[in-house]
Short mmCIF file of all heavy atoms in Angstrom, two decimals:
data_model
loop_
_atom_site.label_atom_id
_atom_site.label_comp_id
_atom_site.label_asym_id
_atom_site.label_seq_id
_atom_site.Cartn_x
_atom_site.Cartn_y
_atom_site.Cartn_z
N PRO A 2 8.14 -16.92 30.08
CA PRO A 2 6.90 -16.20 30.43
C PRO A 2 5.76 -17.18 30.63
O PRO A 2 5.80 -18.31 30.13
CB PRO A 2 6.67 -15.31 29.20
CG PRO A 2 7.39 -16.00 28.08
CD PRO A 2 8.51 -16.77 28.68
N ASP A 3 4.74 -16.72 31.34
CA ASP A 3 3.55 -17.56 31.51
C ASP A 3 2.89 -17.83 30.16
O ASP A 3 3.01 -17.06 29.23
CB ASP A 3 2.53 -16.82 32.40
CG ASP A 3 3.01 -16.81 33.84
OD1 ASP A 3 3.93 -17.59 34.17
OD2 ASP A 3 2.47 -16.00 34.61
N PRO A 5 0.20 -17.54 27.57
CA PRO A 5 -0.82 -16.50 27.42
C PRO A 5 -2.21 -17.07 27.66
O PRO A 5 -2.45 -18.25 27.37
CB PRO A 5 -0.64 -16.04 25.95
CG PRO A 5 0.37 -16.92 25.33
CD PRO A 5 0.96 -17.80 26.37
N PRO A 9 -2.20 -18.37 20.97
CA PRO A 9 -1.36 -17.41 20.28
C PRO A 9 -1.78 -17.26 18.82
O PRO A 9 -2.21 -18.21 18.20
CB PRO A 9 0.03 -18.05 20.37
CG PRO A 9 -0.21 -19.50 20.53
CD PRO A 9 -1.49 -19.62 21.30
N LEU A 10 -1.66 -16.03 18.34
CA LEU A 10 -1.96 -15.78 16.94
C LEU A 10 -0.65 -15.74 16.18
O LEU A 10 0.21 -14.93 16.47
CB LEU A 10 -2.70 -14.44 16.82
CG LEU A 10 -3.10 -14.04 15.41
CD1 LEU A 10 -4.42 -13.30 15.46
CD2 LEU A 10 -2.04 -13.20 14.74
N TRP B 46 -0.70 -3.01 14.95
CA TRP B 46 -1.30 -4.30 15.29
C TRP B 46 -0.31 -5.45 15.04
O TRP B 46 -0.16 -6.34 15.87
CB TRP B 46 -2.59 -4.49 14.51
CG TRP B 46 -2.91 -5.91 14.17
CD1 TRP B 46 -3.03 -6.44 12.93
CD2 TRP B 46 -3.12 -6.99 15.09
NE1 TRP B 46 -3.28 -7.78 13.01
CE2 TRP B 46 -3.36 -8.14 14.31
CE3 TRP B 46 -3.14 -7.10 16.48
CZ2 TRP B 46 -3.60 -9.39 14.89
CZ3 TRP B 46 -3.37 -8.36 17.04
CH2 TRP B 46 -3.62 -9.47 16.25
N ARG B 47 0.41 -5.39 13.95
CA ARG B 47 1.37 -6.45 13.67
C ARG B 47 2.45 -6.50 14.75
O ARG B 47 2.84 -7.58 15.20
CB ARG B 47 2.03 -6.22 12.31
CG ARG B 47 1.10 -6.54 11.17
CD ARG B 47 1.85 -6.53 9.84
NE ARG B 47 0.92 -6.68 8.73
CZ ARG B 47 1.25 -6.52 7.46
NH1 ARG B 47 2.49 -6.22 7.14
NH2 ARG B 47 0.35 -6.67 6.51
N VAL B 48 2.91 -5.33 15.15
CA VAL B 48 3.93 -5.28 16.19
C VAL B 48 3.38 -5.87 17.50
O VAL B 48 4.06 -6.66 18.17
CB VAL B 48 4.43 -3.84 16.41
CG1 VAL B 48 5.25 -3.72 17.68
CG2 VAL B 48 5.25 -3.38 15.20
N MET B 49 2.15 -5.51 17.83
CA MET B 49 1.56 -6.08 19.04
C MET B 49 1.43 -7.59 18.94
O MET B 49 1.68 -8.32 19.90
CB MET B 49 0.20 -5.45 19.31
CG MET B 49 0.30 -4.02 19.77
SD MET B 49 -1.16 -3.47 20.68
CE MET B 49 -1.21 -4.61 22.06
N ALA B 50 1.03 -8.04 17.76
CA ALA B 50 0.82 -9.48 17.58
C ALA B 50 2.12 -10.25 17.84
O ALA B 50 2.12 -11.22 18.60
CB ALA B 50 0.30 -9.77 16.17
N VAL B 51 3.21 -9.82 17.26
CA VAL B 51 4.45 -10.58 17.46
C VAL B 51 5.04 -10.36 18.85
O VAL B 51 5.66 -11.25 19.40
CB VAL B 51 5.52 -10.29 16.37
CG1 VAL B 51 5.02 -10.70 15.01
CG2 VAL B 51 5.96 -8.86 16.38
N THR B 52 4.82 -9.19 19.41
CA THR B 52 5.33 -8.95 20.76
C THR B 52 4.55 -9.77 21.78
O THR B 52 5.14 -10.32 22.72
CB THR B 52 5.27 -7.45 21.11
OG1 THR B 52 5.92 -6.70 20.09
CG2 THR B 52 5.96 -7.18 22.43
N GLY B 53 3.26 -9.88 21.56
CA GLY B 53 2.46 -10.72 22.45
C GLY B 53 2.89 -12.17 22.34
O GLY B 53 2.87 -12.92 23.32
N ASP B 54 3.32 -12.55 21.17
CA ASP B 54 3.70 -13.93 20.91
C ASP B 54 5.13 -14.20 21.38
O ASP B 54 5.48 -15.34 21.69
CB ASP B 54 3.58 -14.19 19.40
CG ASP B 54 3.60 -15.67 19.07
OD1 ASP B 54 3.06 -16.46 19.87
OD2 ASP B 54 4.16 -16.02 18.02
N ALA B 55 5.96 -13.17 21.42
CA ALA B 55 7.38 -13.35 21.79
C ALA B 55 7.85 -12.17 22.62
O ALA B 55 8.60 -11.33 22.13
CB ALA B 55 8.23 -13.49 20.53
N PRO B 56 7.43 -12.11 23.88
CA PRO B 56 7.79 -10.96 24.71
C PRO B 56 9.30 -10.83 24.83
O PRO B 56 10.01 -11.84 24.87
CB PRO B 56 7.17 -11.30 26.07
CG PRO B 56 6.11 -12.32 25.78
CD PRO B 56 6.61 -13.09 24.61
N GLY B 57 9.79 -9.58 24.83
CA GLY B 57 11.21 -9.35 24.91
C GLY B 57 11.87 -9.28 23.55
O GLY B 57 13.08 -9.13 23.44
N ILE B 58 11.08 -9.38 22.51
CA ILE B 58 11.59 -9.33 21.14
C ILE B 58 12.20 -7.96 20.85
O ILE B 58 11.82 -6.96 21.46
CB ILE B 58 10.42 -9.64 20.16
CG1 ILE B 58 10.91 -9.98 18.77
CG2 ILE B 58 9.44 -8.46 20.13
CD1 ILE B 58 9.79 -10.46 17.85
N LEU B 87 2.93 -0.59 25.04
CA LEU B 87 4.21 -1.29 24.90
C LEU B 87 5.22 -0.61 25.80
O LEU B 87 5.15 0.60 26.04
CB LEU B 87 4.68 -1.16 23.45
CG LEU B 87 5.33 -2.37 22.77
CD1 LEU B 87 4.35 -3.52 22.71
CD2 LEU B 87 5.76 -1.99 21.36
N LEU B 101 11.23 -5.47 23.95
CA LEU B 101 9.89 -4.90 24.00
C LEU B 101 8.91 -5.85 24.67
O LEU B 101 8.97 -7.08 24.47
CB LEU B 101 9.44 -4.58 22.57
CG LEU B 101 10.31 -3.49 21.93
CD1 LEU B 101 10.17 -3.48 20.42
CD2 LEU B 101 9.96 -2.12 22.51
N TYR B 102 8.03 -5.26 25.44
CA TYR B 102 7.02 -6.02 26.17
C TYR B 102 5.68 -5.30 26.09
O TYR B 102 5.64 -4.08 26.05
CB TYR B 102 7.40 -6.15 27.64
CG TYR B 102 8.72 -6.84 27.87
CD1 TYR B 102 9.91 -6.10 27.87
CD2 TYR B 102 8.79 -8.22 28.07
CE1 TYR B 102 11.13 -6.73 28.07
CE2 TYR B 102 10.01 -8.85 28.26
CZ TYR B 102 11.17 -8.10 28.26
OH TYR B 102 12.38 -8.73 28.44
N LEU B 103 4.63 -6.07 26.08
CA LEU B 103 3.30 -5.48 26.26
C LEU B 103 3.19 -5.00 27.70
O LEU B 103 3.63 -5.68 28.62
CB LEU B 103 2.21 -6.52 25.98
CG LEU B 103 2.11 -7.04 24.55
CD1 LEU B 103 1.03 -8.12 24.46
CD2 LEU B 103 1.80 -5.92 23.58
N GLY B 107 -1.56 -3.04 27.45
CA GLY B 107 -1.31 -3.62 26.13
C GLY B 107 -1.72 -5.08 26.09
O GLY B 107 -2.32 -5.55 25.11
N GLN B 108 -1.42 -5.80 27.16
CA GLN B 108 -1.80 -7.21 27.22
C GLN B 108 -3.32 -7.37 27.16
O GLN B 108 -3.82 -8.28 26.49
CB GLN B 108 -1.25 -7.84 28.50
CG GLN B 108 -1.54 -9.34 28.62
CD GLN B 108 -0.80 -10.18 27.57
OE1 GLN B 108 0.39 -10.00 27.33
NE2 GLN B 108 -1.52 -11.09 26.93
N TYR B 111 -4.39 -6.79 23.70
CA TYR B 111 -4.01 -7.98 22.94
C TYR B 111 -5.01 -9.11 23.16
O TYR B 111 -5.47 -9.75 22.21
CB TYR B 111 -2.61 -8.41 23.37
CG TYR B 111 -2.08 -9.65 22.69
CD1 TYR B 111 -1.47 -9.59 21.45
CD2 TYR B 111 -2.18 -10.91 23.30
CE1 TYR B 111 -0.97 -10.72 20.82
CE2 TYR B 111 -1.68 -12.05 22.68
CZ TYR B 111 -1.07 -11.95 21.44
OH TYR B 111 -0.59 -13.08 20.84
N ASP B 112 -5.37 -9.31 24.42
CA ASP B 112 -6.30 -10.40 24.73
C ASP B 112 -7.67 -10.19 24.10
O ASP B 112 -8.39 -11.14 23.84
CB ASP B 112 -6.45 -10.54 26.25
CG ASP B 112 -5.16 -11.05 26.89
OD1 ASP B 112 -4.25 -11.45 26.15
OD2 ASP B 112 -5.07 -11.03 28.13
N VAL B 115 -6.97 -10.35 19.72
CA VAL B 115 -6.64 -11.60 19.06
C VAL B 115 -7.88 -12.41 18.70
O VAL B 115 -8.01 -12.85 17.55
CB VAL B 115 -5.64 -12.42 19.91
CG1 VAL B 115 -5.56 -13.86 19.43
CG2 VAL B 115 -4.26 -11.78 19.85
#
Side-chain angles (χ1 to χ4, degrees):
Chain A
D3 288 345
L10 181 145
Chain B
W46 149 242
R47 286 189 187 170
V48 167
M49 289 202 60
V51 298
T52 307
D54 195 34
I58 195 172
L87 220 61
L101 296 162
Y102 301 88
L103 294 177
Q108 183 67 46
Y111 179 84
D112 292 350
V115 165

